[in-house]
Coordinates of all heavy atoms in Angstrom, one line a residue:
M17 N -9.1 -190.8 -58.0 CA -9.2 -191.8 -56.9 C -10.2 -192.9 -57.2 O -11.2 -192.7 -57.9 CB -9.7 -191.1 -55.6 CG -9.6 -191.8 -54.3 SD -10.3 -191.0 -53.0 CE -10.8 -192.2 -51.9
K18 N -9.9 -194.1 -56.7 CA -10.8 -195.3 -57.0 C -11.4 -195.7 -55.7 O -10.9 -195.7 -54.6 CB -10.0 -196.3 -57.6 CG -9.6 -196.2 -59.0 CD -8.7 -197.2 -59.6 CE -8.3 -197.0 -61.0 NZ -7.3 -197.9 -61.4
M19 N -12.7 -196.0 -55.8 CA -13.5 -196.4 -54.6 C -14.1 -197.8 -54.9 O -14.6 -197.9 -56.1 CB -14.7 -195.4 -54.2 CG -14.2 -194.1 -53.6 SD -13.9 -194.1 -51.9 CE -15.3 -194.8 -51.1
Q20 N -14.3 -198.6 -53.9 CA -15.0 -199.8 -54.2 C -16.5 -199.5 -54.1 O -17.0 -198.6 -53.5 CB -14.6 -200.8 -53.2 CG -14.9 -200.6 -51.8 CD -13.7 -199.9 -51.1 OE1 -13.2 -198.9 -51.6 NE2 -13.3 -200.4 -49.9
K21 N -17.4 -200.3 -54.8 CA -18.8 -200.2 -54.8 C -19.5 -200.3 -53.5 O -20.5 -199.7 -53.2 CB -19.3 -201.0 -55.9 CG -20.5 -200.5 -56.7 CD -21.1 -201.6 -57.7 CE -20.4 -201.5 -59.0 NZ -20.9 -202.4 -59.9
E22 N -19.0 -201.2 -52.7 CA -19.5 -201.6 -51.3 C -18.4 -201.5 -50.3 O -17.3 -201.8 -50.6 CB -20.2 -203.0 -51.3 CG -21.4 -203.0 -52.2 CD -22.0 -204.5 -52.1 OE1 -21.2 -205.4 -51.8 OE2 -23.1 -204.7 -52.5
M23 N -18.8 -201.1 -49.1 CA -17.8 -201.2 -48.1 C -18.5 -201.3 -46.7 O -19.7 -201.0 -46.6 CB -16.9 -199.8 -48.1 CG -17.6 -198.6 -47.8 SD -16.7 -197.1 -48.0 CE -15.5 -197.3 -46.6
K24 N -17.7 -201.9 -45.7 CA -18.3 -202.0 -44.4 C -18.0 -200.8 -43.7 O -16.9 -200.3 -43.6 CB -17.6 -203.3 -43.7 CG -18.6 -204.0 -42.9 CD -18.2 -205.3 -42.5 CE -19.3 -206.1 -41.7 NZ -18.8 -207.2 -41.1
K25 N -19.0 -200.3 -43.0 CA -19.0 -199.0 -42.4 C -20.1 -199.0 -41.2 O -21.0 -199.7 -41.3 CB -19.5 -198.0 -43.5 CG -19.0 -196.5 -43.2 CD -19.6 -195.7 -44.3 CE -19.7 -194.2 -43.9 NZ -20.5 -194.0 -42.7
Y26 N -19.9 -198.1 -40.3 CA -20.7 -198.0 -39.2 C -22.1 -197.4 -39.5 O -22.1 -196.3 -40.2 CB -20.1 -197.1 -38.0 CG -21.0 -197.1 -36.8 CD1 -21.2 -198.0 -35.9 CD2 -21.6 -195.8 -36.6 CE1 -22.0 -197.9 -34.7 CE2 -22.5 -195.7 -35.5 CZ -22.6 -196.8 -34.6 OH -23.4 -196.6 -33.5
C27 N -23.2 -198.0 -39.2 CA -24.5 -197.4 -39.5 C -25.1 -196.9 -38.2 O -25.3 -197.7 -37.2 CB -25.4 -198.5 -40.1 SG -27.1 -198.0 -40.3
P28 N -25.5 -195.5 -38.1 CA -26.1 -195.0 -36.9 C -27.4 -195.6 -36.5 O -27.8 -195.5 -35.4 CB -26.1 -193.5 -37.3 CG -26.0 -193.4 -38.6 CD -25.3 -194.6 -39.2
K29 N -28.2 -196.1 -37.5 CA -29.5 -196.7 -37.2 C -29.3 -198.1 -36.6 O -30.0 -198.4 -35.6 CB -30.3 -196.6 -38.4 CG -31.8 -196.7 -38.1 CD -32.7 -196.7 -39.4 CE -34.1 -196.8 -39.1 NZ -35.0 -196.9 -40.2
C30 N -28.6 -198.9 -37.3 CA -28.3 -200.3 -36.9 C -27.4 -200.4 -35.7 O -27.4 -201.3 -35.0 CB -27.8 -201.2 -38.0 SG -28.7 -201.2 -39.5
K31 N -26.7 -199.3 -35.5 CA -25.7 -199.2 -34.4 C -24.7 -200.2 -34.4 O -24.1 -200.7 -33.4 CB -26.4 -199.1 -33.0 CG -27.2 -197.9 -32.8 CD -27.8 -197.8 -31.4 CE -28.5 -196.5 -31.2 NZ -29.4 -196.4 -30.1
K32 N -24.3 -200.7 -35.6 CA -23.1 -201.5 -35.8 C -22.6 -201.4 -37.2 O -23.3 -200.8 -38.0 CB -23.6 -203.0 -35.5 CG -24.6 -203.5 -36.3 CD -25.1 -205.0 -35.9 CE -26.1 -205.5 -36.8 NZ -26.4 -206.9 -36.6
H33 N -21.6 -202.1 -37.5 CA -21.0 -202.1 -38.8 C -21.8 -203.0 -39.8 O -22.1 -204.0 -39.5 CB -19.5 -202.5 -38.9 CG -18.6 -201.5 -38.5 ND1 -18.5 -201.0 -37.2 CD2 -17.7 -200.7 -39.2 CE1 -17.6 -200.0 -37.1 NE2 -17.1 -199.8 -38.4
E34 N -22.2 -202.3 -40.9 CA -23.0 -203.0 -42.0 C -22.4 -202.7 -43.3 O -21.6 -201.8 -43.5 CB -24.5 -202.5 -42.0 CG -25.2 -202.8 -40.7 CD -25.7 -204.3 -40.6 OE1 -25.5 -205.0 -41.6 OE2 -26.4 -204.6 -39.6
I35 N -22.8 -203.5 -44.3 CA -22.3 -203.2 -45.7 C -23.1 -202.0 -46.3 O -24.3 -202.0 -46.2 CB -22.5 -204.5 -46.5 CG1 -21.6 -205.6 -46.0 CG2 -22.0 -204.1 -48.1 CD1 -21.7 -206.9 -46.7
H36 N -22.4 -201.1 -46.8 CA -23.0 -199.9 -47.4 C -22.6 -199.8 -48.9 O -21.5 -200.2 -49.3 CB -22.4 -198.6 -46.7 CG -23.0 -198.4 -45.4 ND1 -22.8 -199.2 -44.3 CD2 -23.8 -197.4 -45.0 CE1 -23.4 -198.6 -43.2 NE2 -24.1 -197.6 -43.6
G37 N -23.6 -199.3 -49.6 CA -23.3 -199.1 -51.0 C -22.8 -197.7 -51.2 O -23.2 -196.8 -50.4
V38 N -21.9 -197.4 -52.1 CA -21.3 -196.1 -52.2 C -21.8 -195.5 -53.5 O -21.8 -196.0 -54.5 CB -19.7 -196.2 -52.2 CG1 -19.1 -194.9 -52.3 CG2 -19.2 -197.0 -51.0
G39 N -22.1 -194.2 -53.4 CA -22.6 -193.5 -54.5 C -22.2 -192.0 -54.4 O -21.7 -191.6 -53.4
I40 N -22.4 -191.2 -55.5 CA -22.1 -189.8 -55.4 C -23.3 -189.0 -55.2 O -24.2 -189.2 -56.0 CB -21.2 -189.4 -56.7 CG1 -19.9 -190.2 -56.8 CG2 -20.9 -187.9 -56.7 CD1 -19.2 -190.0 -58.0
Y41 N -23.3 -188.1 -54.3 CA -24.4 -187.2 -54.1 C -24.5 -186.1 -55.2 O -23.5 -185.5 -55.6 CB -24.3 -186.5 -52.8 CG -25.2 -185.3 -52.6 CD1 -26.6 -185.5 -52.4 CD2 -24.7 -184.0 -52.7 CE1 -27.5 -184.4 -52.2 CE2 -25.6 -182.9 -52.7 CZ -26.9 -183.1 -52.4 OH -27.7 -182.1 -52.3
K42 N -25.6 -185.9 -55.8 CA -25.8 -184.8 -56.8 C -26.9 -183.9 -56.2 O -27.9 -184.3 -55.9 CB -26.1 -185.5 -58.1 CG -24.9 -186.0 -58.8 CD -25.1 -186.3 -60.4 CE -23.9 -186.8 -61.0 NZ -23.9 -188.3 -60.9
K43 N -26.6 -182.6 -56.5 CA -27.5 -181.5 -56.2 C -28.7 -181.6 -57.0 O -28.7 -181.8 -58.1 CB -26.9 -180.2 -56.4 CG -27.6 -179.0 -55.8 CD -26.8 -177.8 -56.0 CE -27.5 -176.6 -55.6 NZ -28.5 -176.1 -56.5
G44 N -29.9 -181.4 -56.3 CA -31.2 -181.4 -57.0 C -31.4 -180.1 -57.8 O -30.6 -179.2 -57.7
K45 N -32.4 -180.0 -58.6 CA -32.7 -179.0 -59.5 C -33.2 -177.8 -58.7 O -34.0 -178.0 -57.7 CB -33.7 -179.3 -60.5 CG -33.5 -178.6 -61.8 CD -34.5 -179.3 -62.9 CE -35.0 -178.2 -63.9 NZ -36.1 -178.7 -64.7
D46 N -32.7 -176.5 -58.9 CA -33.3 -175.4 -58.1 C -34.7 -175.1 -58.6 O -35.0 -175.1 -59.8 CB -32.4 -174.2 -58.4 CG -31.1 -174.3 -57.7 OD1 -31.0 -175.0 -56.7 OD2 -30.1 -173.6 -58.2
R47 N -35.5 -174.7 -57.6 CA -36.9 -174.3 -57.9 C -36.8 -172.8 -58.3 O -36.3 -172.0 -57.4 CB -37.8 -174.5 -56.7 CG -38.1 -176.1 -56.7 CD -39.2 -176.2 -55.5 NE -38.6 -175.8 -54.2 CZ -39.2 -175.0 -53.4 NH1 -40.3 -174.3 -53.8 NH2 -38.7 -174.6 -52.3
K48 N -37.4 -172.4 -59.4 CA -37.4 -171.0 -59.7 C -38.2 -170.1 -58.8 O -37.9 -169.0 -58.6 CB -37.9 -170.8 -61.2 CG -36.9 -171.0 -62.2 CD -37.5 -170.8 -63.6 CE -36.5 -171.2 -64.7 NZ -37.2 -171.1 -66.0
A49 N -39.3 -170.7 -58.2 CA -40.2 -169.9 -57.4 C -39.9 -170.0 -56.0 O -40.6 -169.6 -55.1 CB -41.6 -170.3 -57.7
A50 N -38.7 -170.5 -55.5 CA -38.4 -170.6 -54.2 C -38.1 -169.2 -53.6 O -37.8 -168.2 -54.3 CB -37.0 -171.4 -54.1
E51 N -38.4 -169.1 -52.3 CA -38.3 -167.7 -51.7 C -37.0 -167.0 -51.9 O -37.0 -165.8 -52.3 CB -38.7 -167.9 -50.2 CG -38.6 -166.6 -49.3 CD -39.5 -165.6 -49.7 OE1 -40.7 -165.9 -49.9 OE2 -39.1 -164.4 -49.8
G52 N -36.0 -167.8 -51.7 CA -34.6 -167.1 -51.9 C -34.4 -166.7 -53.3 O -33.7 -165.6 -53.5
A53 N -34.8 -167.5 -54.2 CA -34.5 -167.1 -55.7 C -35.4 -165.9 -56.0 O -34.9 -165.0 -56.8 CB -34.9 -168.4 -56.5
R54 N -36.6 -165.8 -55.5 CA -37.4 -164.6 -55.8 C -36.8 -163.4 -55.2 O -36.8 -162.4 -55.9 CB -38.9 -164.8 -55.3 CG -39.7 -165.6 -56.1 CD -41.1 -165.8 -55.6 NE -41.1 -166.8 -54.6 CZ -42.0 -166.8 -53.5 NH1 -42.8 -165.8 -53.4 NH2 -41.9 -167.8 -52.6
R55 N -36.3 -163.5 -54.0 CA -35.7 -162.3 -53.3 C -34.5 -161.9 -54.1 O -34.2 -160.7 -54.3 CB -35.4 -162.7 -51.9 CG -35.1 -161.5 -51.0 CD -34.7 -161.9 -49.6 NE -35.6 -162.8 -49.0 CZ -35.3 -164.1 -48.4 NH1 -34.1 -164.5 -48.4 NH2 -36.2 -164.8 -47.8
H56 N -33.6 -162.9 -54.4 CA -32.4 -162.6 -55.2 C -32.7 -161.9 -56.5 O -32.1 -160.9 -57.0 CB -31.7 -163.8 -55.5 CG -30.4 -163.7 -56.1 ND1 -29.3 -163.0 -55.4 CD2 -29.8 -164.1 -57.3 CE1 -28.2 -163.0 -56.3 NE2 -28.6 -163.6 -57.4
A57 N -33.7 -162.4 -57.2 CA -34.1 -161.7 -58.5 C -34.6 -160.3 -58.2 O -34.2 -159.4 -59.2 CB -35.2 -162.5 -59.2
E58 N -35.3 -160.0 -57.2 CA -35.8 -158.7 -56.9 C -34.6 -157.8 -56.5 O -34.6 -156.7 -56.9 CB -36.8 -158.8 -55.7 CG -37.5 -157.5 -55.4 CD -38.4 -157.2 -56.5 OE1 -39.0 -158.1 -57.2 OE2 -38.7 -156.0 -56.7
D59 N -33.6 -158.3 -55.8 CA -32.3 -157.6 -55.5 C -31.6 -157.2 -56.6 O -31.0 -156.1 -56.6 CB -31.5 -158.4 -54.5 CG -32.0 -158.5 -53.0 OD1 -32.9 -157.7 -52.8 OD2 -31.5 -159.3 -52.3
K60 N -31.6 -158.0 -57.6 CA -30.7 -157.8 -58.8 C -31.3 -156.8 -59.8 O -30.7 -156.3 -60.8 CB -30.4 -159.1 -59.5 CG -29.2 -159.8 -58.9 CD -28.9 -160.9 -59.8 CE -27.9 -160.5 -60.9 NZ -27.1 -161.5 -61.6
K61 N -32.6 -156.5 -59.6 CA -33.3 -155.6 -60.6 C -32.7 -154.2 -60.6 O -32.2 -153.7 -59.5 CB -34.8 -155.6 -60.2 CG -35.6 -156.4 -61.1 CD -37.2 -156.2 -60.6 CE -38.0 -157.2 -61.2 NZ -39.4 -157.1 -60.6
G62 N -32.8 -153.5 -61.7 CA -32.5 -152.0 -61.7 C -31.1 -151.7 -61.8 O -30.2 -152.6 -61.9
Y63 N -30.7 -150.4 -61.7 CA -29.4 -149.9 -61.8 C -28.6 -150.3 -60.6 O -29.1 -150.2 -59.4 CB -29.4 -148.4 -62.0 CG -28.0 -147.8 -62.0 CD1 -27.3 -147.9 -63.2 CD2 -27.5 -147.0 -61.0 CE1 -26.0 -147.4 -63.4 CE2 -26.3 -146.4 -61.1 CZ -25.5 -146.6 -62.2 OH -24.3 -146.1 -62.2
G64 N -27.4 -150.8 -60.7 CA -26.5 -151.2 -59.6 C -27.2 -152.4 -58.8 O -27.1 -152.5 -57.6
G65 N -27.7 -153.2 -59.5 CA -28.5 -154.4 -58.9 C -27.6 -155.5 -58.4 O -28.0 -156.3 -57.4
Q66 N -26.4 -155.6 -58.8 CA -25.5 -156.7 -58.4 C -25.1 -156.4 -56.9 O -24.4 -155.5 -56.6 CB -24.3 -156.9 -59.3 CG -23.5 -158.2 -59.0 CD -24.2 -159.5 -59.1 OE1 -25.1 -159.7 -59.9 NE2 -23.9 -160.3 -58.2
K67 N -25.4 -157.3 -56.0 CA -25.1 -157.1 -54.6 C -23.7 -157.5 -54.2 O -23.2 -157.1 -53.2 CB -26.1 -157.9 -53.8 CG -27.5 -157.3 -53.9 CD -27.7 -156.0 -53.1 CE -29.0 -155.5 -53.4 NZ -29.2 -154.1 -52.9
F68 N -23.0 -158.4 -54.9 CA -21.7 -158.8 -54.6 C -21.0 -159.1 -55.9 O -21.6 -159.3 -56.9 CB -21.8 -160.2 -53.7 CG -22.7 -161.1 -54.3 CD1 -22.4 -162.0 -55.3 CD2 -24.1 -161.2 -53.8 CE1 -23.3 -162.9 -55.7 CE2 -25.0 -162.1 -54.3 CZ -24.6 -163.0 -55.2
P69 N -19.6 -159.0 -55.9 CA -18.8 -159.2 -57.1 C -19.1 -160.5 -57.8 O -19.1 -161.6 -57.1 CB -17.4 -159.0 -56.7 CG -17.3 -159.0 -55.2 CD -18.8 -158.7 -54.7
E70 N -19.2 -160.5 -59.1 CA -19.5 -161.8 -59.8 C -18.2 -162.5 -60.0 O -17.1 -162.0 -60.2 CB -20.1 -161.6 -61.2 CG -21.6 -161.3 -61.2 CD -22.1 -161.1 -62.6 OE1 -22.2 -162.0 -63.4 OE2 -22.3 -159.9 -62.9
L71 N -18.3 -163.8 -59.7 CA -17.0 -164.7 -59.8 C -16.7 -165.0 -61.2 O -17.5 -165.7 -61.9 CB -17.3 -166.0 -59.0 CG -16.1 -166.8 -58.6 CD1 -15.2 -166.1 -57.6 CD2 -16.5 -168.2 -58.0
K72 N -15.6 -164.4 -61.7 CA -15.3 -164.5 -63.1 C -14.6 -165.8 -63.4 O -14.9 -166.6 -64.2 CB -14.4 -163.3 -63.5 CG -15.1 -162.0 -63.7 CD -15.7 -161.9 -65.1 CE -17.0 -161.0 -65.0 NZ -16.8 -159.7 -64.5
R73 N -13.6 -166.1 -62.6 CA -12.9 -167.5 -62.7 C -12.6 -168.0 -61.2 O -12.1 -167.1 -60.5 CB -11.7 -167.5 -63.6 CG -10.6 -166.6 -63.1 CD -9.6 -166.3 -64.3 NE -10.0 -165.2 -65.0 CZ -9.6 -163.9 -64.7 NH1 -9.1 -163.6 -63.5 NH2 -9.9 -162.9 -65.4
T74 N -12.6 -169.2 -61.0 CA -12.4 -169.8 -59.7 C -11.0 -170.0 -59.4 O -10.2 -170.4 -60.4 CB -13.2 -171.0 -59.4 OG1 -13.0 -171.9 -60.5 CG2 -14.7 -170.8 -59.4
A75 N -10.5 -169.9 -58.2 CA -9.1 -170.2 -57.9 C -8.8 -171.7 -57.8 O -7.8 -172.1 -58.1 CB -8.8 -169.6 -56.6
K76 N -9.9 -172.4 -57.5 CA -9.8 -173.9 -57.3 C -9.8 -174.6 -58.6 O -10.4 -174.2 -59.6 CB -10.9 -174.4 -56.4 CG -11.0 -173.7 -55.1 CD -10.1 -174.4 -54.0 CE -10.4 -173.9 -52.6 NZ -9.9 -172.5 -52.4
T77 N -9.1 -175.7 -58.7 CA -9.0 -176.4 -59.9 C -9.8 -177.7 -59.8 O -10.0 -178.5 -60.8 CB -7.6 -176.8 -60.3 OG1 -7.0 -177.6 -59.2 CG2 -6.8 -175.7 -60.6
T78 N -10.3 -178.1 -58.6 CA -11.2 -179.2 -58.3 C -12.4 -178.9 -57.7 O -12.6 -177.7 -57.2 CB -10.3 -180.3 -57.4 OG1 -10.0 -179.5 -56.2 CG2 -9.2 -180.8 -58.0
K79 N -13.3 -179.8 -57.7 CA -14.6 -179.6 -57.0 C -14.7 -180.6 -55.8 O -14.1 -181.7 -55.9 CB -15.8 -179.8 -57.9 CG -16.0 -178.7 -58.9 CD -17.2 -178.8 -59.7 CE -17.5 -177.6 -60.5 NZ -18.6 -177.8 -61.5
K80 N -15.5 -180.2 -54.8 CA -15.7 -181.1 -53.6 C -16.7 -182.2 -54.0 O -17.8 -181.9 -54.7 CB -16.2 -180.3 -52.5 CG -15.1 -179.7 -51.7 CD -15.8 -179.1 -50.4 CE -14.5 -178.5 -49.6 NZ -15.1 -177.9 -48.3
I81 N -16.5 -183.4 -53.7 CA -17.2 -184.5 -53.9 C -17.9 -185.0 -52.7 O -17.1 -185.3 -51.8 CB -16.5 -185.6 -54.7 CG1 -16.2 -185.1 -56.2 CG2 -17.4 -186.9 -54.8 CD1 -15.5 -186.0 -57.0
T82 N -19.2 -185.1 -52.6 CA -19.9 -185.7 -51.5 C -20.2 -187.2 -51.8 O -20.9 -187.5 -52.8 CB -21.2 -184.9 -51.2 OG1 -20.8 -183.5 -51.0 CG2 -21.8 -185.4 -49.9
L83 N -19.8 -188.1 -50.8 CA -20.2 -189.5 -51.1 C -21.4 -189.7 -50.3 O -21.7 -189.2 -49.2 CB -19.0 -190.3 -50.5 CG -17.8 -190.4 -51.4 CD1 -16.8 -191.3 -50.7 CD2 -18.1 -190.9 -52.8
R84 N -22.3 -190.6 -50.9 CA -23.5 -191.1 -50.2 C -23.4 -192.5 -49.9 O -23.3 -193.3 -50.9 CB -24.7 -190.7 -51.0 CG -26.0 -190.9 -50.3 CD -27.1 -190.2 -50.9 NE -27.4 -190.7 -52.3 CZ -28.3 -190.2 -53.1 NH1 -29.0 -189.1 -52.7 NH2 -28.5 -190.7 -54.3
Y85 N -23.5 -193.0 -48.6 CA -23.4 -194.3 -48.2 C -24.9 -194.8 -48.0 O -25.6 -194.1 -47.3 CB -22.6 -194.5 -47.1 CG -21.2 -194.1 -47.2 CD1 -20.7 -193.0 -46.5 CD2 -20.3 -194.9 -48.0 CE1 -19.3 -192.6 -46.7 CE2 -19.0 -194.5 -48.1 CZ -18.5 -193.4 -47.5 OH -17.3 -193.0 -47.6
T86 N -25.2 -195.9 -48.5 CA -26.5 -196.5 -48.3 C -26.4 -197.8 -47.5 O -25.8 -198.7 -48.1 CB -27.4 -196.7 -49.6 OG1 -27.3 -195.5 -50.4 CG2 -28.9 -196.9 -49.3
C87 N -27.0 -197.9 -46.3 CA -27.0 -199.2 -45.6 C -27.7 -200.3 -46.3 O -28.9 -200.0 -46.6 CB -27.4 -198.9 -44.2 SG -27.5 -200.4 -43.2
K88 N -27.2 -201.4 -46.5 CA -27.9 -202.5 -47.3 C -29.0 -203.1 -46.4 O -30.0 -203.7 -47.0 CB -26.9 -203.6 -47.7 CG -25.9 -203.0 -48.7 CD -26.3 -203.3 -50.1 CE -25.4 -202.7 -51.1 NZ -25.7 -202.8 -52.5
T89 N -28.9 -202.9 -45.0 CA -29.9 -203.6 -44.2 C -31.2 -202.6 -43.9 O -32.3 -203.2 -44.1 CB -29.3 -204.0 -42.9 OG1 -27.9 -204.0 -42.9 CG2 -29.7 -205.4 -42.4
C90 N -30.8 -201.4 -43.6 CA -32.0 -200.6 -43.1 C -32.2 -199.4 -44.3 O -33.2 -198.6 -44.0 CB -31.8 -200.0 -41.8 SG -30.4 -198.8 -41.8
K91 N -31.4 -199.3 -45.3 CA -31.5 -198.3 -46.3 C -31.3 -196.9 -45.9 O -31.6 -195.9 -46.5 CB -32.9 -198.4 -46.9 CG -33.3 -199.7 -47.7 CD -32.6 -199.8 -49.0 CE -33.2 -201.0 -49.8 NZ -32.8 -202.3 -49.3
R92 N -30.7 -196.8 -44.6 CA -30.4 -195.4 -44.1 C -29.3 -194.8 -44.9 O -28.3 -195.5 -45.2 CB -30.0 -195.5 -42.6 CG -29.3 -194.4 -42.1 CD -30.1 -193.1 -41.9 NE -31.0 -193.2 -40.8 CZ -30.9 -192.7 -39.6 NH1 -29.8 -192.1 -39.3 NH2 -31.8 -192.8 -38.7
Q93 N -29.4 -193.6 -45.2 CA -28.3 -193.0 -46.1 C -27.5 -192.0 -45.3 O -28.1 -191.1 -44.6 CB -28.9 -192.3 -47.3 CG -29.5 -193.2 -48.3 CD -30.0 -192.5 -49.6 OE1 -30.3 -191.4 -49.6 NE2 -30.0 -193.3 -50.7
T94 N -26.3 -192.1 -45.4 CA -25.4 -191.1 -44.7 C -24.4 -190.5 -45.7 O -24.1 -191.1 -46.7 CB -24.6 -191.8 -43.5 OG1 -24.0 -193.0 -44.0 CG2 -25.4 -192.0 -42.3
M95 N -24.0 -189.3 -45.4 CA -23.1 -188.7 -46.4 C -21.8 -188.3 -45.8 O -21.7 -188.0 -44.6 CB -23.8 -187.4 -46.9 CG -25.1 -187.7 -47.7 SD -25.5 -186.4 -48.7 CE -27.2 -186.6 -48.8
K96 N -20.8 -188.3 -46.7 CA -19.4 -187.8 -46.3 C -19.1 -186.7 -47.2 O -19.1 -186.9 -48.4 CB -18.5 -189.0 -46.5 CG -17.0 -188.6 -46.1 CD -16.2 -189.8 -46.5 CE -14.7 -189.4 -46.5 NZ -14.1 -189.0 -45.2
E97 N -18.9 -185.6 -46.6 CA -18.7 -184.3 -47.4 C -17.3 -184.0 -47.5 O -16.4 -184.5 -46.8 CB -19.4 -183.2 -46.7 CG -19.7 -181.9 -47.5 CD -19.8 -180.7 -46.7 OE1 -20.1 -180.9 -45.5 OE2 -19.6 -179.7 -47.2
G98 N -17.0 -183.2 -48.6 CA -15.7 -182.5 -48.5 C -14.4 -183.2 -49.0 O -13.5 -183.2 -48.3
M99 N -14.5 -183.9 -50.1 CA -13.3 -184.5 -50.7 C -13.0 -183.7 -52.0 O -13.8 -183.8 -52.8 CB -13.4 -186.1 -51.0 CG -13.3 -186.9 -49.8 SD -12.8 -188.5 -50.2 CE -14.2 -189.0 -51.2
R100 N -11.9 -183.1 -52.0 CA -11.5 -182.4 -53.2 C -10.7 -183.5 -54.2 O -9.6 -183.8 -53.7 CB -10.6 -181.2 -52.9 CG -11.4 -180.0 -52.4 CD -10.8 -178.7 -52.7 NE -11.6 -177.7 -52.3 CZ -12.5 -177.1 -53.0 NH1 -12.6 -177.4 -54.3 NH2 -13.3 -176.1 -52.6
L101 N -11.3 -183.8 -55.2 CA -10.8 -184.7 -56.1 C -11.0 -184.3 -57.5 O -11.8 -183.5 -57.9 CB -11.5 -186.0 -56.0 CG -11.5 -186.8 -54.7 CD1 -12.4 -187.9 -54.8 CD2 -10.0 -187.2 -54.4
R102 N -10.0 -184.6 -58.5 CA -10.1 -184.3 -59.8 C -11.1 -185.4 -60.5 O -11.9 -185.0 -61.3 CB -8.7 -184.5 -60.5 CG -8.0 -183.2 -60.8 CD -6.6 -183.5 -61.3 NE -5.7 -182.6 -60.6 CZ -5.5 -181.3 -60.9 NH1 -6.2 -180.7 -61.9 NH2 -4.7 -180.6 -60.2
K103 N -11.0 -186.6 -60.1 CA -11.8 -187.6 -60.7 C -12.0 -188.7 -59.6 O -11.1 -189.1 -58.8 CB -11.0 -188.2 -61.8 CG -11.8 -188.9 -62.8 CD -10.9 -189.5 -63.9 CE -11.5 -190.6 -64.7 NZ -10.6 -191.1 -65.8
L104 N -13.2 -189.3 -59.6 CA -13.6 -190.4 -58.7 C -14.2 -191.5 -59.5 O -15.1 -191.3 -60.3 CB -14.6 -189.8 -57.6 CG -15.0 -190.9 -56.6 CD1 -13.9 -191.2 -55.6 CD2 -16.3 -190.6 -55.9
E105 N -13.6 -192.6 -59.3 CA -14.1 -193.9 -60.0 C -14.6 -194.8 -59.0 O -14.0 -195.2 -58.0 CB -13.0 -194.6 -60.7 CG -12.7 -194.1 -62.2 CD -11.6 -194.8 -62.9 OE1 -11.7 -196.0 -63.0 OE2 -10.6 -194.2 -63.2
I106 N -15.9 -195.3 -59.2 CA -16.5 -196.1 -58.3 C -16.6 -197.5 -59.0 O -17.2 -197.6 -60.0 CB -17.9 -195.8 -57.8 CG1 -17.7 -194.5 -56.9 CG2 -18.6 -196.9 -57.0 CD1 -19.1 -193.9 -56.5
Q107 N -15.9 -198.5 -58.5 CA -15.8 -199.8 -59.2 C -16.2 -200.9 -58.4 O -16.2 -200.8 -57.1 CB -14.4 -199.9 -59.8 CG -13.4 -199.8 -58.8 CD -12.0 -199.6 -59.4 OE1 -11.0 -199.9 -58.7 NE2 -11.9 -199.2 -60.6
Ligands
ZN20 ZN1 -28.4 -199.7 -41.2

């Protein structure tokens, strides 16, 4: 799918349609010492440590892409989740 670099879209902060920049959201790096990560590591320890079946191969052939819109006037960022695409081109 092809997307334009800028588009006019409703901004919840300006409360009207403004020009937004379009980008792709990327997940940040996981912290190793986060509470959930430490708990998970503790759960996996020892004999029979795996709590749920490990995913060997996924059924899906695509990944969900989250778009991030940035308002050019107030810099407010909004996201649009959940588009399954093989490939996204921003031009
Ligand atoms: Zn705005």
Side-chain angles (χ1 to χ4, degrees):
M17 189 185 156
K18 285 174 182 172
M19 285 283 301
Q20 61 270 52
K21 214 182 274 176
E22 287 177 346
M23 67 188 290
K24 214 164 185 196
K25 197 183 161 302
Y26 180 77
C27 173
K29 197 177 178 187
C30 305
K31 290 183 177 169
K32 60 179 179 177
H33 278 72
E34 294 282 358
I35 295 167
H36 283 69
V38 182
I40 299 169
Y41 163 79
K42 285 198 178 84
K43 187 176 177 281
K45 211 172 147 190
D46 286 336
R47 288 183 296 126
K48 274 184 192 169
E51 177 59 48
R54 277 182 281 153
R55 198 185 303 129
H56 185 64
E58 193 63 34
D59 281 349
K60 276 192 80 166
K61 256 185 197 171
Y63 179 73
Q66 185 61 36
K67 292 285 173 190
F68 43 85
E70 276 181 82
L71 196 65
K72 288 275 157 45
R73 66 193 89 79
T74 54
K76 304 274 188 289
T77 58
T78 53
K79 282 186 175 174
K80 276 188 178 178
I81 290 175
T82 304
L83 285 179
R84 187 161 68 185
Y85 300 108
T86 315
C87 177
K88 294 269 175 181
T89 343
C90 68
K91 300 279 192 295
R92 163 72 72 97
Q93 292 186 336
T94 44
M95 296 203 205
K96 180 187 165 64
E97 195 204 341
M99 281 205 301
R100 286 204 173 268
L101 298 169
R102 259 174 226 279
K103 197 180 167 188
L104 180 76
E105 272 180 61
I106 294 172
Q107 52 196 203

